[in-house]
Amino acid sequence: MDKVMRLASEKDVVVFSKSSCCLCYAITILFQELGVTSTVHEIDQDPEGREMEKTLVSLGCNAPVPAIFVGGRLVGSTNEVMSLHLSGGLIPMLKPYQTWC
Amino acid sequence: MDFPSTQFVPSRMMGTYEPIHQIGMWGENFKSIGNPSISASVIVEVDNKLENESETASHEMPVPSCKHDQEASKPFDKIQRRLAQNREAARKSRLRKKAYVQQLESSRLKLIQLEKELEQAREQGLYIGGGLEAGHLGFSGVVNPGIAAFEMEYKHWMQVQNRQLGELRTALNAQISDIELRIVVENGMSHYFELFRMKSTVAKADVFYVMSGTWKTSAERFFSWIGGFRPSELLKVLVAQLDPLTDQQIFEVCNLKQSCQQAEDALSQGMEKLQETVSATLAAGQLGQGTYFPQVAMAMEKLEALVCFVNQADHLRQETLQQMSHILTTRQAARGLLALGEYIQRLQDLSTLWATHPREPA
């Protein structure tokens, strides 16, 4: 639990992923397009990966990955991010963290 | 199917019922169900059940006690208790019978459906264990029941869709209230959401079936993007039909279109990555050695992600519809749904026309 929350609050936009997960990749592409650099943690490459996976599921994520945290708070999985984006709520949330040149 | 339950009203006399009479009735009704071979064994089972219960019931029938010269209240209480127990047993028996019959009814419907599917498969020239037809039937030639079920449901879905389009047309031309129009719009939206649910189910059965859009007409498939329409394309078609829009609406629709586009791009790139991953996994090791099962097995694991993508694409379609319904007025939403439905109908007509128009001989 601690590791997940610690990693989630270390950086602005954090995506928990697995190295083989292409949907996670799609999410990072979306963030990129919105001018945000996301920090990706691949939990299958992490020694505590199992625990982290359990934590993410217990936090309410349907699938453990992708799990997206913005400003240390859990936004959700792909569904939540897409819904938020289409309803116009994602960009305002990402505004403080956008890094346009 | 009429089930004359009125014939089973228990005789109020002693709180018992007349099982023999009822077995006969019950049996009669089963004969009329359909497949006689099924109902025959059922009747036997049912008869046995009822007979057993009638036996226990009769055992519990109060025999006038010879001890009735003792306290008069005791045997009377006993009798009352036995009567109550009889009534309870009878009631429980009726409930069990009801549940059993309901189970039989649904099994019967399932059987009819399976027979239909089998018939369809036979009509398409495919037999279990035979046939070398390729396509969505696989090597074994057996129709995937998930697919067969979906195709039947989709046929029905299209019928309801066409009916709803007619209702929309009528509603827009008539002078109905906004509230009533809202209901028609909600029905139309729910109907699309129902389709997404159906697709999600069949995607679990065979994701390639959904990806290839087999159930759709050829022109629809031409525009296919991850198992359906691109939301941004649909928005383009819709917006042109919705004049006049307020400035605020134009602004919101523009934002929606842009968000859609971005989400689609992200998913498309994810799909490309998936292709690369599967391809790389499959091509790993030396090609040409002749032994490759590990690569194929691993590639299959990667391919599972395709189901997630199909679900995400449908989720995107659903969210787009939702957002549009928030942005538009009820009347505009109704016109939008009608426009969308008719656009799809035109695509389907295009497919038919294409298939039937004479071509130059090769």
Side-chain angles (χ1 to χ4, degrees):
Chain A
M1 180 70 160
D2 292 328
K3 183 152 192 183
V4 166
M5 297 317 285
R6 184 172 49 83
L7 289 173
S9 39
E10 263 175 15
K11 293 280 157 65
D12 300 330
V13 178
V14 176
V15 177
F16 289 96
S17 164
K18 281 185 187 170
S19 48
S20 53
C21 178
C22 296
L23 206 52
C24 304
Y25 176 74
I27 288 288
T28 59
I29 294 288
L30 180 63
F31 282 146
Q32 216 176 303
E33 201 158 327
L34 300 179
V36 166
T37 329
S38 45
T39 313
V40 179
H41 293 293
E42 292 179 343
I43 65 177
D44 58 333
Q45 306 285 321
D46 194 303
E48 293 170 61
R50 275 269 170 85
E51 284 305 309
M52 294 169 78
E53 189 163 333
K54 276 190 209 151
T55 307
L56 290 169
V57 171
S58 73
L59 286 172
C61 300
N62 244 340
V65 296
I68 297 98
F69 287 78
V70 174
R73 288 212 330 263
L74 175 65
V75 176
S77 189
T78 328
N79 269 4
E80 286 74 31
V81 170
M82 293 296 187
S83 302
L84 207 53
H85 191 39
L86 257 57
S87 64
L90 188 61
I91 293 189
M93 190 186 276
L94 295 176
K95 235 190 168 78
Y97 313 109
Q98 280 174 327
T99 51
W100 301 110
C101 304
Chain B
M1 229 247 324
D2 280 344
F3 216 149
S5 51
T6 48
Q7 293 174 0
F8 299 115
V9 170
S11 136
R12 292 283 172 220
M13 286 191 305
M14 295 286 271
T16 58
Y17 59 99
E18 295 169 75
I20 310 297
H21 173 68
Q22 290 182 347
I23 290 173
M25 299 312 267
W26 201 358
E28 283 303 313
N29 287 314
F30 272 126
K31 288 202 186 86
S32 68
I33 279 180
N35 197 332
S37 56
I38 287 186
S39 45
S41 52
V42 159
I43 292 172
V44 170
E45 269 195 66
V46 162
D47 282 0
N48 286 338
K49 266 193 164 188
L50 275 185
E51 269 177 39
N52 288 336
E53 271 154 24
S54 72
E55 277 168 26
T56 44
S58 52
H59 279 311
E60 288 178 10
M61 278 280 295
V63 174
S65 167
C66 0
K67 299 186 191 168
H68 75 277
D69 53 345
Q70 291 179 5
E71 293 157 77
S73 55
K74 254 196 189 165
F76 183 72
D77 277 345
K78 261 198 198 148
I79 291 174
Q80 288 303 313
R81 222 179 322 126
R82 288 299 157 101
L83 289 180
Q85 282 170 352
N86 273 353
R87 281 195 290 273
E88 192 52 34
R91 193 182 70 88
K92 286 200 180 128
S93 173
R94 281 194 297 277
L95 287 172
R96 274 198 299 275
K97 182 194 73 183
K98 194 172 181 201
Y100 189 63
V101 164
Q102 277 170 355
Q103 210 180 42
L104 288 173
E105 293 272 284
S106 61
S107 299
R108 174 185 161 247
L109 288 171
K110 239 182 252 176
L111 189 68
I112 291 176
Q113 181 174 329
L114 283 171
E115 281 175 343
K116 258 196 213 142
E117 288 173 19
L118 210 58
E119 192 52 52
Q120 273 182 356
R122 288 208 188 97
E123 274 169 22
Q124 294 173 38
L126 305 141
Y127 298 89
I128 299 175
L132 291 168
E133 316 293 335
H136 63 273
L137 297 158
F139 296 135
S140 65
V142 178
V143 178
N144 184 325
I147 293 177
F150 175 82
E151 294 197 332
M152 274 202 301
E153 283 172 16
Y154 183 71
K155 254 197 212 118
H156 180 250
W157 189 92
M158 274 311 303
Q159 287 169 350
V160 175
Q161 172 77 344
N162 290 331
R163 182 172 39 84
Q164 283 186 347
L165 289 179
E167 280 169 13
L168 274 167
R169 242 174 245 122
T170 313
L172 283 168
N173 290 331
Q175 298 292 340
I176 72 172
S177 68
D178 240 32
I179 299 177
E180 288 172 302
L181 193 57
R182 187 82 232 163
I183 295 175
V184 180
V185 167
E186 291 294 321
N187 286 343
M189 303 269 292
S190 307
H191 198 51
Y192 279 113
F193 301 162
E194 179 59 35
L195 180 62
F196 297 140
R197 269 195 295 277
M198 284 160 53
K199 284 171 73 182
S200 175
T201 306
V202 77
K204 290 195 199 98
D206 183 357
V207 72
F208 283 120
Y209 175 80
V210 178
M211 282 293 295
S212 58
T214 315
W215 74 93
K216 296 201 270 192
T217 64
S218 37
E220 288 174 274
R221 267 179 273 146
F222 176 57
F223 291 96
S224 191
W225 172 81
I226 314 186
F229 287 108
R230 260 183 200 276
S232 55
E233 281 297 319
L234 290 183
L235 280 182
K236 279 191 206 139
V237 168
L238 276 184
V239 170
Q241 303 291 322
L242 293 172
D243 280 335
L245 293 170
T246 66
D247 284 344
Q248 175 66 20
Q249 285 179 321
I250 294 176
F251 176 68
E252 288 176 4
V253 169
C254 264
N255 284 344
L256 182 60
K257 223 191 283 177
Q258 188 177 41
S259 314
C260 258
Q261 197 70 64
Q262 289 164 335
E264 284 167 27
D265 285 345
L267 286 183
S268 294
Q269 291 198 47
M271 282 286 283
E272 275 176 32
K273 181 108 198 290
L274 184 59
Q275 275 186 335
E276 285 168 33
T277 312
V278 172
S279 176
T281 309
L282 212 46
Q286 280 229 322
L287 289 160
Q289 293 291 334
T291 52
Y292 44 76
F293 187 72
Q295 285 90 335
V296 174
M298 267 185 55
M300 241 193 67
E301 263 184 56
K302 311 277 181 195
L303 212 43
E304 298 285 344
L306 199 51
V307 179
C308 297
F309 275 96
V310 168
N311 286 339
Q312 275 308 308
D314 274 348
H315 180 251
L316 209 60
R317 291 172 190 118
Q318 180 155 326
E319 285 297 305
T320 307
L321 279 176
Q322 285 277 31
Q323 286 305 313
M324 278 303 273
S325 79
H326 292 325
I327 296 173
L328 300 175
T329 66
T330 308
R331 198 155 191 88
Q332 286 170 328
R335 273 168 38 213
L337 279 176
L338 184 56
L340 183 56
E342 207 168 287
Y343 176 67
I344 294 172
Q345 276 179 337
R346 289 189 190 185
L347 277 174
Q348 293 171 339
D349 288 345
L350 175 60
S351 308
T352 312
L353 194 61
W354 182 262
T356 54
H357 92 266
R359 282 192 191 80
E360 296 279 322

